[in-house]
Amino acid sequence: MTAPAELTLVADIGGTNARFALADITAGAPLDQSSIRAYPVTAFPSLADAAAHYLQEQGAQARSGVFAVAGRVDGDEARITNHPWVISRDRTAAQLGFHSLHLVNDFVAQAMAVALLQPQDVAQIGGASWQPGAAGQSRTYCVIGPGTGLGVGALVVRDGRNYPLPTEGGHASFAPASPEQIRILEILSAQFGRVSNERLVCGPGLVNIHRALSEMAGNDPGLLRPEQISERAQAGDPLAVRAIEVFMEVFGAVAGDTVLVQGAWDGVFLTGGLVPRLLDSLRHSGFRQRFESKGRFTATMSQVPSMAIIHPCPGLLGAAAYAVDAARHTEGVVA
């Protein structure tokens, strides 16, 4: 690609893959999707080595970066939850020759992605529609994503500034809404003690639901992976079909609760590795009914959009949005 005057290197770092791309923060669509590359994290001794390899492979130079990591960011340091990399912001910036480098939690990036999403990047779930906010318009959104775990965040837009809010909302307590779900809670409580929403709404959570339903039916399903349950459901297996239905019902209830807690009346965005694969199930399940079913707030909830993100790399899109927003408010500092 022809290099613009100033490039920012953006990254989305998980426990398995490191994804990189180039962003031009002066462009209307800052993320250069043609520059996206992914590498296994096990191929490099450090994040700096992976980033340097990417830049060399692209024949590109960058003076700044925004790296979103699937783990806790504590000051200058970040640790990947499912990989031994320990990332120092200052050391990584020095190794790459950056004048500024931002380390952010992956759900900060997921939330920031909302600022750049276009209608073609999302799929509407339910009857309430969404359009990107006009410049200067105050908005509050929540973002929720089942993958290996359940990520929850928010994006607050005020006075032209985007404020992403990472949370640990996935660890809020599960609230059953039917006798069947009460029994599932009892079974999972016997195993885990306290049962959070993440115990049901994520890949391993689908396995937990299927195992509980199997126990209720007097069956032993053996050790299954989430994709095996999905395959069984597609083949018409009744327990697998019901497990996905329960998953969607709980997912909808949790998403609706998150809107209530955060005051995210402008919409909830569904993200994470499972969402694109379960898009058809989302559209034809009890997700939206349980999302709206909030007693005296049911009418209000019926007006709140729920949108599944189908953009291929929302983490990178959000890192680019973060870079644009940071450039507007900070100049020339490692932050």
Side-chain angles (χ1 to χ4, degrees), residues 24 35 70 76 161 197 242-243 289 304:
D24 176 2
S35 72
D76 170 68
R161 186 77 193 266
N197 290 324
R242 185 59 191 149
Q289 189 275 330
V304 177

Side-chain angles (χ1 to χ4, degrees), residues 124-139:
Q124 182 175 319
I125 308 298
S129 61
W130 168 82
Q131 289 293 326
Q137 187 176 30
S138 294
R139 293 286 184 102

Side-chain angles (χ1 to χ4, degrees), residues 82-134:
N82 294 308
H83 186 70
W85 278 354
V86 177
I87 304 160
S88 163
R89 181 187 61 195
D90 291 344
R91 193 160 54 245
T92 301
Q95 287 178 264
L96 295 171
F98 286 177
H99 64 69
S100 71
L101 175 62
H102 299 262
L103 288 180
V104 300
N105 175 265
D106 59 338
F107 257 76
V108 166
Q110 293 288 346
M112 284 295 294
V114 176
L116 291 180
L117 288 174
Q118 297 301 310
Q120 65 269 22
D121 296 322
V122 297
Q124 182 175 319
I125 308 298
S129 61
W130 168 82
Q131 289 293 326

Side-chain angles (χ1 to χ4, degrees), residues 3-59:
E6 182 73 17
L7 285 175
T8 297
L9 177 62
V10 294
D12 183 16
I13 312 299
T16 303
N17 293 307
R19 293 178 174 85
F20 295 97
L22 298 170
D24 176 2
I25 61 175
T26 67
L31 180 67
D32 177 9
Q33 296 201 49
S34 68
S35 72
I36 295 173
R37 300 290 184 274
Y39 309 97
V41 292
T42 53
F44 301 94
S46 71
L47 174 54
D49 288 298
H53 174 83
Y54 168 82
L55 290 171
Q56 183 179 30
E57 188 176 75
Q58 290 290 301

Side-chain angles (χ1 to χ4, degrees), residues 103-225:
L103 288 180
V104 300
N105 175 265
D106 59 338
F107 257 76
V108 166
Q110 293 288 346
M112 284 295 294
V114 176
L116 291 180
L117 288 174
Q118 297 301 310
Q120 65 269 22
D121 296 322
V122 297
Q124 182 175 319
I125 308 298
S129 61
W130 168 82
Q131 289 293 326
Q137 187 176 30
S138 294
R139 293 286 184 102
T140 304
Y141 301 108
C142 66
V143 181
I144 181 167
T148 305
L150 179 62
V152 177
L155 183 69
V156 178
V157 184
R158 298 291 186 273
D159 300 320
R161 186 77 193 266
N162 298 306
Y163 298 94
L165 306 177
T167 80
E168 292 297 340
H171 296 282
S173 297
F174 167 56
S178 68
E180 178 185 55
Q181 291 183 17
I182 290 172
R183 181 61 187 136
I184 290 172
L185 174 61
E186 291 173 343
I187 292 170
L188 297 186
S189 293
Q191 179 179 357
F192 299 113
R194 178 180 180 272
V195 178
S196 67
N197 290 324
E198 188 176 75
R199 294 295 189 187
L200 291 90
V201 187
C202 66
L206 177 60
V207 175
N208 289 337
I209 292 170
H210 184 263
R211 189 179 64 252
L213 291 173
S214 297
E215 180 175 328
M216 292 160 62
N219 296 331
D220 181 2
L223 296 175
L224 296 177
R225 299 186 303 276

